[in-house]
Amino acid sequence: MKKINASEEKRKLFKKSSTTYYYSSLFFTGQIKSDVFALYAFVRYADNLVDAIPPKKIEFSRFCKKVHQAYGGKVLKDHIIDDFIELSHRKKFDKAWTNAFLSSMKADLTKHHYKTYEELQKYMYGSANVIGLFMSAIFNSSPRVFPYAQAQGEAMQFINFIRDVQEDFELGRQYIPEDDVKKFNTHIPPKPGEEEAFCLLMRSQIDKYRKIQQYANKGHKYIDKRFRIMVKTSAKMYEWTADQIYRDPLIVFRKKVKPAKWYVIASVIRHALFS
């Protein structure tokens, strides 16, 4: 049997987690790169369990139990969990961040609709905001960065929700708040004759994203330049995605809107030279 290369597995999980983040991080070296890969391997592994068709509920429950056992000091010989726990201790992650993440992942097994944006934000705290907190800790950022890092995570995930409405619909989920959908008298996906109303809905959601992103941008100046490149590149790619959908909201039913690999890499180089 071919031996599994743990580092290669984490790299593949990270790449699958986010093309934008993955290519934005390729200029990292040494421990930082290893730490980022360990974080995203952990996050993606949990996400894959709940997003499977059908969801792997038993496996996810076992995964959570193993995480808590590892926090208690048990060595599991599971490199994804063990490496994350080692990273958590070394970078002094607040255990509440991990609990919030697992709680939001668990919610995906049973809760598929959100009535208001405020309700959705509670979910996004664990699924997105804490990712910004984890990354800030990896980057050794000052706690004053934390509010902006949380906003950055929220902004990026909300654009993912906007972009992936068709994919989520096929999974029986809807992350666009129901109150907003009703406000525009449409459905997801739109029924015949509702296309214009649906476009107005989507643009209103992108306007909401832009306000969150504007706040997140204020925190970029507090991030070490080496890491700012990744954050600013990733944010720029999500802004690009938002712009494409804003021009033609119905595109989300024709294809998955994502920047090309070459565009991401070119943006990394540009930010490295001029940030």
Side-chain angles (χ1 to χ4, degrees), residues 57-73:
K57 297 182 180 181
I58 295 176
E59 291 88 341
F60 179 72
S61 179
R62 289 173 180 165
F63 177 79
C64 292
K65 182 177 180 179
K66 288 168 70 175
V67 171
H68 293 305
Q69 288 175 333
Y71 264 115

Side-chain angles (χ1 to χ4, degrees), residues 10 28-39 83 86-87 90-91 138-140 227:
K10 285 187 287 186
F28 289 161
T29 58
Q31 191 63 55
I32 290 294
K33 187 173 185 177
S34 177
D35 289 348
V36 172
F37 278 26
L39 170 64
D83 289 355
E86 186 279 328
L87 172 64
R90 177 162 45 84
K91 290 296 182 176
I138 288 174
F139 294 161
N140 298 318
F227 313 133

Side-chain angles (χ1 to χ4, degrees), residues 1-274:
M1 182 179 293
K2 185 178 179 180
K3 186 177 180 179
I4 296 175
N5 185 305
S7 296
E8 179 63 11
E9 182 179 356
K10 285 187 287 186
R11 185 193 68 79
K12 288 182 177 179
L13 282 168
F14 182 23
K15 186 176 181 180
K16 187 175 181 180
S17 171
S18 173
T19 301
T20 295
Y21 272 135
Y22 175 75
Y23 286 108
S24 297
S25 70
L26 289 183
F27 289 85
F28 289 161
T29 58
Q31 191 63 55
I32 290 294
K33 187 173 185 177
S34 177
D35 289 348
V36 172
F37 278 26
L39 170 64
Y40 275 90
F42 177 82
V43 169
R44 171 50 61 180
Y45 188 87
D47 198 43
N48 284 346
L49 293 176
V50 300
D51 282 351
I53 302 176
K56 297 181 179 180
K57 297 182 180 181
I58 295 176
E59 291 88 341
F60 179 72
S61 179
R62 289 173 180 165
F63 177 79
C64 292
K65 182 177 180 179
K66 288 168 70 175
V67 171
H68 293 305
Q69 288 175 333
Y71 264 115
K74 184 175 182 179
V75 178
L76 302 171
K77 296 184 179 180
D78 178 322
H79 67 88
I80 288 178
I81 295 177
D82 288 339
D83 289 355
F84 173 78
I85 296 300
E86 186 279 328
L87 172 64
S88 177
H89 291 322
R90 177 162 45 84
K91 290 296 182 176
K92 296 181 172 56
F93 292 168
D94 187 332
K95 186 179 177 183
W97 300 347
T98 304
N99 289 339
F101 169 72
L102 294 175
S103 178
S104 287
M105 292 301 96
K106 183 178 180 181
D108 275 334
L109 297 174
T110 56
K111 187 171 179 62
H112 300 145
H113 293 79
Y114 292 83
K115 182 175 175 60
T116 66
Y117 191 79
E118 290 70 27
E119 184 180 10
L120 180 64
Q121 280 183 305
K122 294 178 182 178
Y123 166 82
M124 288 195 293
Y125 175 77
S127 63
N129 294 41
V130 298
I131 305 303
L133 294 172
F134 287 140
M135 291 295 289
S136 294
I138 288 174
F139 294 161
N140 298 318
S141 298
S142 164
R144 69 178 174 178
V145 174
F146 288 2
Y148 303 108
Q150 291 187 65
Q152 187 63 80
E154 182 178 330
M156 290 176 171
Q157 181 161 65
F158 195 49
I159 277 298
N160 283 346
F161 290 157
I162 292 169
R163 180 195 66 192
D164 297 339
V165 291
Q166 177 64 26
E167 182 179 323
D168 289 331
F169 174 76
E170 292 171 358
L171 290 172
R173 299 173 184 167
Q174 178 185 306
Y175 295 101
I176 305 300
E178 291 180 341
D179 281 359
D180 289 346
V181 177
K182 291 178 181 178
K183 178 181 176 181
F184 286 90
N185 296 312
T186 187
H187 296 80
I188 299 179
K191 295 181 179 180
E194 294 181 349
E195 291 83 0
E196 184 176 351
F198 175 80
C199 289
L200 291 174
L201 165 68
M202 293 291 273
R203 288 176 179 135
S204 75
Q205 301 304 296
I206 292 172
D207 288 340
K208 192 179 298 182
Y209 147 78
R210 285 173 172 163
K211 289 180 180 179
I212 302 168
Q213 184 60 57
Q214 285 172 2
Y215 176 75
N217 287 343
K218 296 178 181 178
H220 292 173
K221 62 185 177 183
Y222 299 123
I223 305 172
D224 184 288
K225 181 180 178 180
R226 293 171 298 164
F227 313 133
R228 192 189 313 147
I229 294 168
M230 175 192 179
V231 176
K232 291 183 70 173
T233 298
S234 299
K236 189 67 176 178
M237 295 304 99
Y238 279 86
E239 288 174 13
W240 178 91
T241 300
D243 289 344
Q244 305 307 305
I245 299 173
Y246 197 91
R247 282 195 287 269
D248 177 15
L250 295 173
I251 195 174
V252 297
F253 298 114
R254 300 194 300 272
K255 66 177 184 178
K256 189 160 187 170
V257 182
K258 298 181 71 174
K261 178 175 69 174
W262 68 265
Y263 186 61
V264 178
I265 295 174
S267 185
V268 172
I269 294 172
R270 185 167 61 252
H271 282 112
L273 292 174
F274 301 111

